[in-house]
Amino acid sequence: MFNEVIIVGKLVEKPVVKETSHGVRLLTMVLDVERPYRNNLGFKDHDYINCICWKGLSESVNDICEVGSILGVKGRLQSKNFEGQDNQTISVRLYHFSVQVIPASIDQQ
């Protein structure tokens, strides 16, 4: 079995850096990823992907990324079940192996 994902998206909000009880740093962030097709109204829908970086990668991403940055992210998907108010919910997160900042094109100004 193989679990590797590559996505490109826009950083929605300032990343949040935390530290575990064991002193390991982690960063959480949300990427806005546009779907490759249009809906029945002619608009492209977006998915908001929760992402997590660990250790040194968390520090690097926090130092170089700003809200609105376009990021290429390579990682693995991991799901987690939790109990919501009325039913059980599944959360899917992307755990990073690497992150690349993609410069904005001059045409997009």
Side-chain angles (χ1 to χ4, degrees), residues 31-49:
L31 290 182
D32 173 2
V33 180
E34 186 177 78
R35 293 183 184 174
Y37 54 86
R38 297 185 185 280
N39 63 22
N40 59 350
L41 298 174
F43 299 106
K44 288 191 174 183
D45 289 325
H46 294 248
D47 293 301
Y48 295 89
I49 310 295

Side-chain angles (χ1 to χ4, degrees), residues 8-65:
V8 175
K10 185 183 292 187
L11 187 59
V12 174
E13 57 193 22
K14 183 172 173 42
V16 177
V17 178
K18 300 176 185 176
E19 195 169 295
T20 69
S21 58
H22 298 290
V24 179
R25 292 185 61 146
L26 68 102
L27 174 138
T28 59
M29 65 182 182
V30 179
L31 290 182
D32 173 2
V33 180
E34 186 177 78
R35 293 183 184 174
Y37 54 86
R38 297 185 185 280
N39 63 22
N40 59 350
L41 298 174
F43 299 106
K44 288 191 174 183
D45 289 325
H46 294 248
D47 293 301
Y48 295 89
I49 310 295
N50 293 312
C51 303
I52 297 176
C53 299
W54 292 93
K55 301 179 182 176
L57 184 57
S58 67
E59 295 172 24
S60 299
V61 169
N62 192 49
D63 289 345
I64 63 172
C65 296

Side-chain angles (χ1 to χ4, degrees), residues 66-106:
E66 301 174 353
V67 173
S69 295
I70 305 296
L71 304 177
V73 177
K74 181 178 179 181
R76 65 179 170 82
L77 291 178
Q78 182 173 319
S79 63
K80 179 180 180 181
N81 296 330
F82 62 93
E83 200 64 38
Q85 289 182 350
D86 296 329
N87 55 11
Q88 190 169 1
T89 305
I90 298 174
S91 170
V92 177
R93 295 181 175 154
L94 177 65
Y95 287 78
H96 295 68
F97 299 142
S98 65
V99 176
Q100 296 287 320
V101 177
I102 300 172
S105 166
I106 294 173

